[in-house]
Amino acid sequence: QDLRETTDEEDYSEGEDDEYPLGEGMHEPLYPYRVDSEGESDNSLHNITRKRPGSKRKPKYAVKRDYKIEEPDPVEMTNLVIEYLVIEGYPDAARTLAAEANVRLDEQDWEGIEKRVAIKKDILAGRIAEAIEKLDVLCPGMIARDDSVRFDLYQQRFLELVREDDIEQALNWSSEKLSSEDLDDEKMARLEQACTLAAFSDPTECKYSDLLEQGQRDGVAETVNSAILKAQGKPSCSRVETMFKMKMFMSMNMPVAPADSTQEDADRIADAIHGEIVHPPVPERE
């Protein structure tokens, strides 16, 4: 049954009493809503039009689908968390969780994971020279092949020397390792910002002083960690993180329906809300 059709029970009023007034220029968000067996709204947040409690006025459009949320499987949820812990570099926590939840861990290269974690810890602590040596052992040739990893590590080594107030050594390092790099505009701009710090007797007074903060180390550690996982043929991003990013993307890009929206628009938005990726049509080339 088309829920937009009127029923014999009652003529739905179009009066102001059935809706909250809208300010000028406002549009109703077009969300899917649930209806009971008689076609009545449950007055939840899923209503497309805002209604006063108890009102029987039908929403302008209804999504005629029965989406059911099943209870998550505890074992699968535990595996998702374990996967996240392993990828992010917390193998001890992953093993502890598996033991407490009585979940059998998949075969893992625990030795390789420990080495990857050691590299990440070195970067987070500012021990870039040690991290470079360990990376050459774990993934031979990666620094030579991967421009992004090489630049991030070499620049971070420069920043650590500036942090230690060893400006002469920092400039020597930059001349030896970075001056010969074929850098694009983005990397060149980043290098210029880093070099600006060396011109200040107190780098914290420079507008680029945030490069000396822990967040800079965190970013490099994540870049190198992801590169190692990719080189080992493993996912560089856990499913938990992927789902979180998708949820954030959807919440920030939820469309708002104009007054002339159609049922097709409502269905399309419902698909987006429930995780189905809808690709726009590709325009034909002339």
Side-chain angles (χ1 to χ4, degrees):
Q1 179 185 359
D2 189 339
L3 299 181
R4 289 173 293 174
E5 296 177 0
T6 57
T7 66
D8 296 329
E9 296 179 2
E10 182 178 347
D11 292 332
Y12 295 100
S13 171
E14 296 291 341
E16 295 180 355
D17 291 339
D18 286 335
E19 283 191 1
Y20 293 115
L22 293 176
E24 184 178 354
M26 293 178 61
H27 299 294
E28 290 288 358
L30 195 58
Y31 299 115
Y33 89 117
R34 299 188 181 97
V35 294
D36 58 25
S37 58
E38 298 180 1
E40 295 297 340
S41 166
D42 62 2
N43 286 320
S44 72
L45 292 178
H46 293 265
N47 287 340
I48 294 177
T49 57
R50 292 180 293 181
K51 300 168 60 180
R52 295 189 185 280
S55 170
K56 291 188 176 182
R57 182 182 177 185
K58 287 186 176 181
K60 183 177 181 181
Y61 297 109
V63 178
K64 296 174 288 185
R65 294 190 177 95
D66 183 18
Y67 290 106
K68 295 181 180 179
I69 301 178
E70 299 179 357
E71 290 294 326
D73 181 357
V75 175
E76 180 61 23
M77 293 297 293
T78 302
N79 285 331
L80 286 174
V81 177
I82 290 174
E83 178 192 63
Y84 172 82
L85 293 173
V86 169
I87 288 178
E88 293 300 318
Y90 304 101
D92 292 339
R95 285 190 285 249
T96 301
L97 176 60
E100 293 179 351
N102 196 26
V103 174
R104 181 180 177 275
L105 283 173
D106 296 334
E107 292 295 328
Q108 299 280 357
D109 177 16
W110 293 109
E111 182 180 357
I113 293 173
E114 294 289 354
K115 291 180 179 178
R116 173 169 57 85
V117 172
I119 293 171
K120 185 175 182 179
K121 287 182 177 179
D122 280 341
I123 297 174
L124 292 174
R127 299 187 296 267
I128 307 303
E130 292 87 338
I132 291 174
E133 292 179 2
K134 292 175 181 177
L135 182 58
D136 277 334
V137 174
L138 181 61
C139 299
M142 172 179 284
I143 293 179
R145 293 190 307 269
D146 195 319
D147 295 344
S148 294
V149 169
R150 183 173 64 253
F151 176 80
D152 282 358
L153 286 172
Y154 286 178
Q155 179 184 252
Q156 190 61 36
R157 173 61 175 159
F158 174 86
L159 292 171
E160 297 300 338
L161 291 169
V162 172
R163 183 198 292 262
E164 296 166 9
D165 199 24
D166 192 347
I167 303 302
E168 182 178 354
Q169 181 63 22
L171 294 176
N172 290 338
W173 174 266
S174 176
S175 176
E176 177 185 351
K177 298 294 186 180
L178 292 168
S179 61
S180 60
E181 290 286 318
D182 183 16
L183 303 178
D184 58 25
D185 293 342
E186 184 265 338
K187 288 186 175 66
M188 181 60 72
R190 290 170 56 191
L191 180 58
E192 290 174 354
Q193 293 175 3
C195 290
T196 303
L197 292 167
F200 284 75
S201 57
D202 182 2
T204 60
E205 296 179 354
C206 178
K207 64 180 180 179
Y208 304 122
S209 60
D210 59 310
L211 294 175
L212 301 178
E213 296 178 358
Q214 186 62 37
Q216 171 69 18
R217 291 175 175 176
D218 295 343
V220 175
E222 288 301 321
T223 297
V224 175
N225 187 64
S226 296
I228 294 173
L229 289 167
K230 289 179 181 178
Q232 295 174 339
K234 299 175 182 177
S236 60
C237 185
S238 67
R239 287 174 288 174
V240 170
E241 184 177 355
T242 300
M243 289 187 289
F244 175 77
K245 289 179 179 178
M246 291 177 63
K247 181 67 175 177
M248 290 299 295
F249 176 82
M250 291 301 304
S251 64
M252 292 186 295
N253 292 274
M254 181 59 63
V256 176
D260 58 349
S261 297
T262 64
Q263 179 68 40
E264 182 179 352
D265 295 328
D267 293 345
R268 177 178 57 81
I269 296 174
D271 287 336
I273 291 174
H274 293 279
E276 300 178 21
I277 299 176
V278 180
H279 298 282
V282 178
E284 297 182 358
R285 294 182 179 179
E286 295 181 358

